[in-house]
Amino acid sequence: MLPRTPEETAAVVRALAAEGVAFVPRGAGTGLSGGTLPVGAPVMVCTSRLQAIEAIDVANRRVVVQAGVVNAWISAAVRGHGLHYAPDPSSQPACTIGGNVAENSGGPHTLKYGVTTNHVLGLELVLPSGEVVRLGGAVEERVGYDLVGLAVGAEGTFGLVTRATLRLVRNPEGYRTALAVFDSVEAASEAVSDVIAAGIVPAALEMMDRLIIGAVEAAYRIGLPTDAGAVLLVELDGPAAGLDGLLAEVDAVCRRRGAREVRVARDDAERAALWKARKRALGAVGRLAPSYCTQDGVVPRTKVPDILRAIAAAAERHRLRIGNVFHAGDGNIHPILLFDERNADECARVLAAGREILEACVALGGSVTGEHGIGVEKIAQMPLLFSPDDLLAMTRLRAVFDPEQRANPHKVFPDAKVCVETRTPRRQVPV
Amino acid sequence: MLPRTPEETAAVVRALAAEGVAFVPRGAGTGLSGGTLPVGAPVMVCTSRLQAIEAIDVANRRVVVQAGVVNAWISAAVRGHGLHYAPDPSSQPACTIGGNVAENSGGPHTLKYGVTTNHVLGLELVLPSGEVVRLGGAVEERVGYDLVGLAVGAEGTFGLVTRATLRLVRNPEGYRTALAVFDSVEAASEAVSDVIAAGIVPAALEMMDRLIIGAVEAAYRIGLPTDAGAVLLVELDGPAAGLDGLLAEVDAVCRRRGAREVRVARDDAERAALWKARKRALGAVGRLAPSYCTQDGVVPRTKVPDILRAIAAAAERHRLRIGNVFHAGDGNIHPILLFDERNADECARVLAAGREILEACVALGGSVTGEHGIGVEKIAQMPLLFSPDDLLAMTRLRAVFDPEQRANPHKVFPDAKVCVETRTPRRQVPV
């Protein structure tokens, strides 16, 4: 179904409710954990045509948008007012706000600005019954239970978001964007810890390892050092007066950890090129192998060196090439496992390595998804984090909104059907 | 009951569960909406003796504390590491983390740093059954439903918090704290809007009106201008390099809106005196009348002038003196209604004026509590914000955790009993 308005969407859901038919909400379909796959053949309800930016309130710094508005459109619409929408998943030229809300999307700049849930003030939600509820509102305080917070990241299991009221963030007065070049990922990881320990909160702090640098440079030719072990992309923002001082501190920290070079973007074009390299890194990876699997996990940020060692060990143990491009400042890792999906043995090894990496995240005090959600991909890992009682409580919580389990069935929570489905990895779209 | 450990607390709750007895969780009892009043004679379970700071993790900037740890102790404990715990309710020398979590407490510095829910990574919660669940963890990302976010602000209706893992924030490199003196609250309100519109995010932006200034000056004698219509307390923090530039901007904005003076604290002692004046303002109000009622509401920040007019109109209509001391930058208002509780007619007028002010908040797009919670005080106002269906959904949500409604009964949600109880205002402790 491709309804054109929030009201049509609600009518569709009401009609499905009358017939007792299950449905899966879908935005642009860019999600990486399979949240929009139609498991169990439900009706797919796409909100991608709900494209209106309904209100821009500059003084109170908020917008009201329909679910199908593409993430990047919002910042484009308010640029003239010196504002932007902060959460910036790499898929932002394509992904929609409905999906961002469902997955609680992150992005490089969430290190400083927080993830989607920190930027949603209110939601219009069509419950599986077809009833339309408005959660939250125009102010930050949420009275009673925090239903907005509960709905953000619920992956479509409470129904379908049709409208959202979002916070806007003032554009910083200035930026400094630098690329620090290291001989090893270990040295780069130590520099990340030191930057944070120095009390600096970069707007973004991203790492790419040698495999990814090679792929990105082959694709975009922006002059990345292909012989480096790792690069850190560091962005500082804030009042113009403080930026050069902060940059000097970051430069000193990186050099103390052995950075052979710290390149600073001289203008907006150079800054844009560095960000293009980072945000399109996954697209470039397509050159390296017929298929790849982007894993997603998170560890406390002091554990980044440990998880990188665990990833390298898993690569060696399973004879796989694994690249790393990730939000180092958050401890949010994205190992990219290269394979050929026509090779059944290699597929099995990718799945085994992925499982081991996620288990290592949990063992290090982290979690099985940093920002991509559970979807169908991580259902089998939920018991690593939650006891049967925990999962039962969540299922009962879901039943408050979706007693018949018709909204995005067979997602997030373990059931027999889906454990089988997740055995086959799929080639993923770059996000 | 005054258990001494989280484990004893759980044992107490298990014993109550076995007998089917209701209970009310209580921290230091400083809450302003009556959340810890034992309505319906439940057993009071106090967590105030659970005083251990169990772990301080400097590298990952987090602490694990028991529920009875006083808010201010945490910042004191990590001061040597250049860190602090950001949420700073005025009651912070007395209030405990368990209560802060239950009420999702705010404070002046939440303008820049966010309220309690933005700083809680994990919780240990004793469910009404006595079962102990651990929600969230050591990393920011929350997998599955955001149960931590749901439990924060639930006002004890899901059970009793015994431990919390909290984020710490790096102390800023420097501060600038200034007092801008205006002839009227209107002019001060316009200056607030202009500061925000200029893209400045102060660490705090607080307003006090003439009535409050007079009370504070009489109590603390720090040289406040008692002939002023309003003062703004503005605090800027961040990298030292940018602060003087920001301060100059704030100074210029305030003077453009008619500030007759902008005094800057010259040292830590002067800064401390200004903050003491603000944080103890409610204590000083005790000099003005035998009783007072601190109301709490929130409006979009551009509506601050409108709500102040509505408050003044309510004061006139009901022949009451009402002072204002509040988080202007957030739009979070705190009108202080002075009265004598021995005067039944005046009590009735205080209640009527309070209701009208909250209705005005809602009419302006805001809400009936900015940070003090619903407790018993605001139950009657819940239908202003929520439809019967909304309230039913919340009640069903509560039943997931507390099927017998034994945890903090008769709170937050309307039931016949409590509507009667809220008719009598009480003298409130300063917070």
Side-chain angles (χ1 to χ4, degrees), chain B residues 93-317:
Chain B
C95 64
T96 62
I97 289 301
N100 288 184
V101 168
E103 299 295 327
N104 192 17
S105 301
H109 288 83
T110 54
L111 173 60
K112 180 167 180 177
Y113 293 99
V115 294
T116 300
T117 195
N118 304 119
H119 298 272
V120 179
L121 296 170
L123 290 175
E124 182 182 85
L125 185 70
V126 182
L127 296 178
S129 62
E131 191 195 352
V132 177
V133 293
R134 285 174 192 84
L135 309 176
V139 289
E140 305 248 348
E141 177 67 14
R142 296 163 187 172
V143 171
Y145 298 133
D146 182 4
L147 297 181
V148 175
L150 187 63
V152 176
E155 304 197 21
T157 61
F158 290 166
L160 204 145
V161 170
T162 43
R163 287 186 172 93
T165 303
L166 306 174
R167 282 177 62 207
L168 299 172
V169 172
R170 189 91 187 174
N171 295 346
E173 207 173 288
Y175 297 96
R176 293 294 182 277
T177 308
L179 191 79
V181 182
F182 294 86
D183 288 332
S184 69
V185 289
E186 290 73 20
S189 301
E190 298 295 348
V192 169
S193 288
D194 289 358
V195 166
I196 303 285
I200 301 165
V201 182
L205 186 46
E206 301 281 311
M207 195 187 300
M208 295 190 274
D209 72 5
R210 181 178 300 193
L211 195 98
I212 302 294
I213 296 168
V216 166
E217 185 56 22
Y220 308 122
R221 306 219 170 276
I222 60 165
L224 294 182
T226 52
D227 62 333
V231 294
L232 284 182
L233 178 60
V234 190
E235 184 155 284
L236 304 163
D237 70 8
L243 288 172
D244 285 324
L246 281 177
L247 181 63
E249 278 189 73
V250 169
D251 182 284
V253 165
C254 289
R255 289 184 195 278
R256 255 198 314 274
R257 287 297 183 177
R260 67 162 96 136
E261 185 188 355
V262 180
R263 291 184 199 173
V264 181
R266 280 164 301 185
D267 52 33
D268 283 351
E270 284 192 11
R271 175 175 175 247
L274 288 173
W275 275 113
K276 181 178 166 190
R278 166 61 188 92
K279 292 210 173 184
R280 299 199 183 165
L282 290 205
V285 166
R287 296 170 167 257
L288 299 179
S291 312
Y292 64 88
C293 171
T294 309
Q295 264 300 348
D296 165 50
V298 62
V299 294
R301 60 186 154 221
T302 50
K303 303 293 187 187
V304 168
D306 303 82
I307 192 66
L308 289 175
R309 273 192 293 274
I311 292 167
E316 194 174 324
R317 196 159 47 240

Side-chain angles (χ1 to χ4, degrees), chain A residues 187-200 205 249-250 252-254 256-258 302, chain B residues 61 170:
Chain A
S189 301
E190 298 295 348
V192 168
S193 288
D194 288 358
V195 167
I196 302 285
I200 302 164
L205 185 47
E249 277 190 72
V250 168
V253 165
C254 289
R256 256 198 314 275
R257 286 297 182 177
T302 51
Chain B
R61 284 194 212 153
R170 189 91 187 174

